[in-house]
Amino acid sequence: MSGGLGLKEEANMSSCIEKERQALLDVKASVIDLHGNLSDWGEKKDCCKWVGVTCNNHTGHVIKLDLSFGPSAFTGKISPSLQVLNQLQFLNLSGINFQSNPLPSLLGSLSNLQSLDISGANLSGPIPHQLANLSNLLRLDLSFNFLGGSIPKSFENCSSLLNLDLSHNLLNGPLPSFARCSSLISLSIAHNSLNGSMPDFTGCISLHYLDLSSNFLSGIMPVGVSQLSNLGHLDVSHNSLNGSIPNFIGCPSLSYLDLSSNQLSDLSNNRFKGIVPRLPTLATLNLSGNRFSGNLSFLCEIDGALTFLDLSNNSLSGSLPGCWLNFQERLVILNLSNNNLSGNIPSSLGFLSNLEVLYLRTNAFVGELPMSLSNCTKLRFADFGENKLSGVIPEWIEEKLSDLYILVLGSNGFKGRIPSQICWLYNLQVLDVSNNGLSGNIPRCFHNFTAMARRSFGDDMTNHSYSSYRRPPFFSAPLALRPYIQCGRIPTGSQLQCFNYTSYSDNPKLFGPPLTPRCGLQPPPATNVGKEDVEEDDDDLWKSYYTGMGAGFAVAFWGICGSLLLSCRCRYFVFASLSHMKDWIYVTMVVHFGKLGRKFRR
């Protein structure tokens, strides 16, 4: 009884239609299956059971074909037999290498298509205007190809389209208005060669995502864009737009706005001046490289969703506000470098528990570093250089901020010793304490900075939200101590000795490699000198060498003998002097024999 029921149910299940089965075999024959992904095609008679194929359970028609097996899975061309599959609703051919073949117009005959994805498929030629005839099409993705020509004007009538992605192609000419595309939610045509003016998108009342970046769009930015109440993401950066910016307060949902690298009087790397206007809710705000002035009180009006804030390279002034508690859970990157900010660094910055990048470089901040910053335990990059900070280098930096890659305290008014706890920063790759009032010896544990010699923080940057963030060129060496560290030898350790000697310059009482040779002295610049000049230099060198040797032996003899008759304190002084003399003799000999060797090689 049960067996008969099973046969009845099986009879009601429709297998694939023969002509569509043959069309699929033609599709397979038109490509080279590099990894055998379609090996079961043909082995099973029922094509509805083939990998990547989905059929309607009642009619047997193929309604979905998905050959997106990743890049380099197939190479070949699009088979004309695809038009036989006239009931297709979903077609995905992304990642196939179609060897610069054009996109065939026959796809415009698949009137039931709802989703068409042929992205990253090495297609060339124009976009067929017939695609605009697909009245049921909801999603079209032709991104990351080599499609050229203009966008067909017929796309202005795609009333059903929800998502359109034509980015990363070679498209040129003007943008269609898309005014009648009232259902459009997402539109990306970034990284092409489109020109002409920017349409106002007034009719696109559902538009949430708009990316027209990296084109050649010109003219003013239309006011209608700022009236799109559902717009959440707007990027028109890297174009040639000019004029003023519309008032985006009409976009209450806007969370991402990038108008940079245009000819606008706006946003980063443009010509904005005056005070920063009141801004809507944002997750990312980059106003760097402009002429903004005034104070930072407007920050207290921004919603706490902000994760990235860059106001560097402006003319902002005044003290930092104390409302950083608003951003404690989200803010990851804070860059206020190269402004005219002053006053103390507020303790409320310590509320930023997720902060990973803090750049306050080149301002006029005063006072000590607030201990509350020890709560920012995720901090990786900290630059306080070129301010008026004072006090000692706090020990809590080393104890609490163990993940630091970069620590810049240079060109301030710090005094005292370098705390030995700084050696606990095992990830540290750049350290700058130059141009302060520091004194004392370099901690002997500096040889713990193995990361300076072996690793680069570039690899770690790729795994974080600031992977594309610009890192300023602080200095030429990963270790900068000049001046005023004094009274001893540079601690031995392979990484410390192999830094450029300029990292230790302007500290006259430091000695040991690389200031004295072991990893090698820095060779003097080559000059065009004659043989007579070389010989004269050698004669002078020999004279100074013999004179120094004679004086050295005399001082050593009387110093040793006399010290036996003196107090312990005097004996300590004498032996310290002999140690310095030994270093001088060593340097003189190495320099001389180096020159002598070069002379013989000539």
Side-chain angles (χ1 to χ4, degrees):
M1 184 73 177
S2 60
L5 181 61
L7 290 174
K8 183 176 180 181
E9 289 178 349
E10 185 176 352
N12 290 332
M13 293 291 292
S14 300
S15 59
C16 74
I17 298 171
E18 180 58 29
K19 67 175 182 179
E20 294 186 2
R21 179 180 184 276
Q22 189 58 50
L24 288 172
L25 291 176
D26 290 344
V27 169
K28 178 183 178 181
S30 65
V31 297
I32 299 173
D33 186 0
L34 298 175
H35 303 295
N37 292 298
L38 306 182
S39 58
D40 67 337
W41 282 32
E43 293 181 359
K44 301 175 183 177
K45 184 173 183 181
D46 187 359
C47 67
C48 295
K49 297 180 180 179
W50 293 353
V51 62
V53 178
T54 303
C55 297
N56 184 299
N57 286 335
H58 299 290
T59 66
H61 284 294
V62 177
I63 57 173
K64 181 176 181 179
L65 178 60
D66 187 352
L67 300 184
S68 58
F69 291 89
S72 304
F74 305 101
T75 182
K77 61 181 181 179
I78 297 177
S79 172
S81 297
L82 266 179
Q83 57 190 329
V84 175
L85 307 176
N86 55 18
Q87 298 299 310
L88 269 180
Q89 298 176 18
F90 303 91
L91 177 60
N92 192 339
L93 304 178
S94 63
I96 299 177
N97 181 6
F98 286 120
Q99 302 176 323
S100 299
N101 280 300
L103 188 62
S105 60
L106 63 90
L107 295 175
S109 64
L110 300 177
S111 58
N112 290 293
L113 269 184
Q114 298 178 24
S115 177
L116 175 59
D117 186 348
I118 319 184
S119 58
N122 193 13
L123 290 166
S124 65
I127 298 176
H129 68 86
Q130 290 87 347
L131 292 182
N133 298 330
L134 300 175
S135 58
N136 293 308
L137 194 64
L138 304 177
R139 177 176 181 265
L140 176 60
D141 190 348
L142 301 177
S143 61
F144 290 93
N145 282 292
F146 299 92
L147 300 171
S150 61
I151 300 174
K153 195 170 179 60
S154 54
F155 272 75
E156 295 180 351
N157 299 316
C158 294
S159 58
S160 63
L161 203 60
L162 301 179
N163 299 285
L164 176 60
D165 192 346
L166 304 177
S167 63
H168 296 271
N169 278 287
L170 304 176
L171 299 171
N172 53 48
L175 261 176
S177 71
F178 296 102
R180 300 175 187 173
C181 300
S182 58
S183 299
L184 198 61
I185 296 175
S186 174
L187 174 62
S188 178
I189 317 182
H191 294 272
N192 279 283
S193 298
L194 299 170
N195 52 44
S197 61
M198 177 179 169
D200 63 7
F201 297 94
T202 303
C204 301
I205 56 176
S206 302
L207 197 61
H208 176 76
Y209 183 100
L210 178 60
D211 189 351
L212 305 177
S213 62
S214 299
N215 280 285
F216 298 99
L217 300 176
S218 59
I220 63 172
M221 191 171 178
V223 176
V225 177
S226 65
Q227 299 173 355
L228 300 175
S229 59
N230 292 306
L231 193 63
H233 180 111
L234 175 61
D235 189 348
V236 293
S237 62
H238 298 277
N239 278 285
S240 299
L241 299 172
N242 54 50
S244 59
I245 338 176
N247 188 343
F248 283 100
I249 295 178
C251 301
S253 301
L254 195 64
S255 62
Y256 183 95
L257 175 64
D258 191 348
L259 310 180
S260 63
S261 299
N262 280 282
Q263 297 174 15
L264 295 163
S265 300
D266 72 310
L267 303 189
S268 65
N269 297 308
N270 281 287
R271 303 171 187 170
F272 241 175
K273 60 182 179 180
I275 62 172
V276 178
R278 184 176 179 179
L279 295 164
T281 300
L282 293 172
T284 298
L285 178 60
N286 184 353
L287 301 176
S288 63
N290 282 287
R291 302 173 187 173
F292 281 115
S293 59
N295 59 41
L296 297 179
S297 60
F298 72 94
L299 291 178
C300 297
E301 300 179 8
I302 296 179
D303 188 87
L306 195 67
T307 61
F308 180 108
L309 176 61
D310 189 348
L311 302 176
S312 62
N313 298 291
N314 280 287
S315 299
L316 298 167
S317 59
S319 58
L320 293 185
C323 55
W324 299 103
L325 178 62
N326 299 344
F327 310 105
Q328 70 175 119
E329 296 181 358
R330 296 290 185 90
L331 195 61
V332 174
I333 294 175
L334 175 59
N335 187 357
L336 303 176
S337 298
N338 296 292
N339 280 286
N340 299 317
L341 299 170
S342 59
N344 292 302
I345 298 175
S347 59
S348 59
L349 279 180
F351 288 121
L352 303 177
S353 57
N354 287 311
L355 196 67
E356 298 185 17
V357 176
L358 176 60
Y359 287 158
L360 301 180
R361 183 180 184 85
T362 316
N363 281 285
F365 291 115
V366 297
E368 299 182 356
L369 292 175
M371 187 175 180
S372 60
L373 288 178
S374 62
N375 297 324
C376 304
T377 55
K378 295 183 180 179
L379 204 59
R380 304 289 186 92
F381 302 86
D383 186 355
F384 304 98
E386 298 183 24
N387 280 284
K388 299 178 181 179
L389 298 172
S390 58
V392 298
I393 297 177
E395 296 179 357
W396 53 257
I397 289 182
E398 300 77 39
E399 296 171 353
K400 300 294 185 181
L401 308 183
S402 57
D403 287 338
L404 278 176
Y405 288 126
I406 287 179
L407 176 59
V408 181
L409 302 173
S411 300
N412 278 287
F414 291 107
K415 295 183 179 180
R417 297 174 178 269
I418 298 178
S420 60
Q421 289 88 344
I422 203 169
C423 302
W424 299 353
L425 300 176
Y426 297 111
N427 294 318
L428 200 64
Q429 297 178 35
V430 174
L431 172 63
D432 183 2
V433 292
S434 65
N435 296 299
N436 279 288
L438 300 174
S439 59
N441 296 328
I442 301 175
R444 296 182 63 84
C445 57
F446 263 37
H447 61 77
N448 290 346
F449 293 139
T450 56
M452 291 186 182
R454 293 201 310 261
R455 296 177 53 194
S456 170
F457 53 75
D459 294 336
D460 298 274
M461 290 283 284
T462 59
N463 296 322
H464 293 83
S465 59
Y466 45 84
S467 60
S468 62
Y469 189 67
R470 300 185 301 275
R471 300 185 298 276
F474 306 116
F475 26 70
S476 59
L479 180 65
L481 303 174
R482 59 183 181 272
Y484 298 94
I485 298 175
Q486 300 181 355
C487 297
R489 178 181 294 275
I490 297 171
T492 58
S494 59
Q495 53 273 50
L496 294 181
Q497 271 66 59
C498 291
F499 286 139
N500 190 297
Y501 73 99
T502 58
S503 296
Y504 305 93
S505 63
D506 298 323
N507 294 284
K509 295 187 180 181
L510 282 180
F511 63 91
L515 290 179
T516 54
R518 193 171 93 183
C519 282
L521 283 173
Q522 298 298 316
T527 56
N528 296 324
V529 295
K531 180 178 180 181
E532 296 79 4
D533 296 329
V534 174
E535 291 176 350
E536 184 177 349
D537 290 343
D538 287 341
D539 291 339
D540 291 339
L541 184 62
W542 276 114
K543 290 177 184 177
S544 62
Y545 175 67
Y546 287 130
T547 302
M549 287 290 289
F553 280 119
V555 172
F557 177 80
W558 289 110
I560 293 172
C561 294
S563 66
L564 298 176
L565 304 176
L566 300 176
S567 65
C568 292
R569 184 176 181 181
C570 292
R571 287 199 296 271
Y572 176 82
F573 173 78
V574 169
F575 281 110
S577 300
L578 290 176
S579 178
H580 285 290
M581 185 180 304
K582 178 193 70 175
D583 290 330
W584 177 83
I585 293 172
Y586 178 56
V587 172
T588 304
M589 292 178 63
V590 170
V591 171
H592 167 70
F593 286 117
K595 287 189 175 182
L596 195 60
R598 288 194 296 272
K599 176 181 176 183
F600 287 147
R601 283 195 294 271
R602 293 193 184 97

